[in-house]
Amino acid sequence: MAVIAAHVGSLSVAGEPSEFLEAEAVPASDFTGTEFRIADPALRRLSPGGPVFVEVSPSGDGDSWTLAEAFVDPLFGDVYLASAPGPSALVRVSGYALPVHPLALVRSVSLTVTNDVVELQVMGDGYKRRSVSLRDFSGELTGLALSELEVAALADGTPLLIEVGKAAGGQVFRAWVKVPELAHKLTPGALYEHTVKFLGFAFQSQDGAVFAWGYGTP
């Protein structure tokens, strides 16, 4: 979607997950032996509700494959193997990808990330002990929506993957959010400009890792 004057980028939202099988993963830019990335950019947003399998062909011939212990970043498709498979190894991934659809032009976006310090009470302990809690985030973006119907779909209260980016190929912000509040106003150009306030929503992947948002290359 082309960005017009006074708008810094575009907002997209994820659609229904689509299964993919045996997608090639290539060495990442910071490769040290265990870091790979799904080659197809369209498959790098993974559904948190679907299983993910990573397979390795250690010899690199592609004839024999074994399941590998690995973590796959569901926001950007990065693959981290538990051990280096060797310099000639091939890696492939199967899972469920989330396609995204353009929803709005974005004029401004803000993000707030907080860590609360909580007090730990221990019976019989005369000292106060404190610990940092889980990190929360919230934000707000303002932009021109493509249609009233699509904006209304944001407010149903279900977790939603959003993607905010500038030019094609540039870095993007991806986050799982819930949208408790929507507002709009009529601009001088007779277009409805919407403000979307969102709260972070964290998913737990099948290997126990928790993720909510990230900023990086698509």
Side-chain angles (χ1 to χ4, degrees):
M1 179 167 52
V3 176
I4 62 176
H7 289 76
V8 298
S10 60
L11 165 70
S12 299
V13 296
E16 293 297 319
S18 176
E19 185 179 16
F20 66 91
L21 299 173
E22 302 174 355
E24 178 189 13
V26 295
S29 57
D30 55 349
F31 184 72
T32 62
T34 58
E35 302 85 5
F36 290 79
R37 197 178 198 202
I38 296 174
D40 187 348
L43 303 179
R44 292 177 182 166
R45 294 172 297 264
L46 277 70
S47 170
V52 182
F53 301 99
V54 178
E55 295 175 290
V56 173
S57 176
S59 63
D61 58 12
D63 293 329
S64 58
W65 295 86
T66 59
L67 283 175
E69 183 181 353
F71 168 72
V72 181
D73 174 8
L75 291 174
F76 289 95
D78 296 314
V79 181
Y80 301 94
L81 298 177
S83 58
S88 301
L90 299 178
V91 177
R92 66 188 186 186
V93 181
S94 299
Y96 289 80
L98 291 172
V100 293
H101 311 290
L103 182 68
L105 293 173
V106 175
R107 181 170 61 81
S108 64
V109 59
S110 63
L111 178 68
T112 301
V113 181
T114 60
N115 280 99
D116 292 329
V117 177
V118 295
E119 184 174 314
L120 304 178
Q121 294 182 344
V122 181
M123 295 297 293
D125 191 338
Y127 294 92
K128 286 188 176 181
R129 303 179 186 274
R130 295 179 173 86
S131 176
V132 177
S133 69
L134 292 177
R135 179 174 292 182
D136 294 325
F137 77 93
S138 61
E140 178 178 309
L141 59 87
T142 301
L144 297 177
L146 298 182
S147 75
E148 292 293 320
L149 180 61
E150 289 173 314
V151 169
L154 287 172
D156 63 3
T158 59
L160 179 73
L161 178 67
I162 64 171
E163 177 173 306
V164 180
K166 293 186 178 182
Q171 288 193 319
V172 298
F173 169 73
R174 290 175 180 165
W176 280 98
V177 302
K178 286 189 174 182
V179 180
E181 181 178 349
L182 293 170
H184 69 270
K185 66 179 180 179
L186 190 62
T187 69
L191 295 172
Y192 276 106
E193 189 169 67
H194 293 263
T195 296
V196 179
K197 293 184 178 181
F198 56 84
L199 299 174
F201 184 90
F203 271 106
Q204 189 170 30
S205 62
Q206 63 180 3
D207 59 3
V210 178
F211 60 94
W213 64 277
Y215 186 75
T217 304

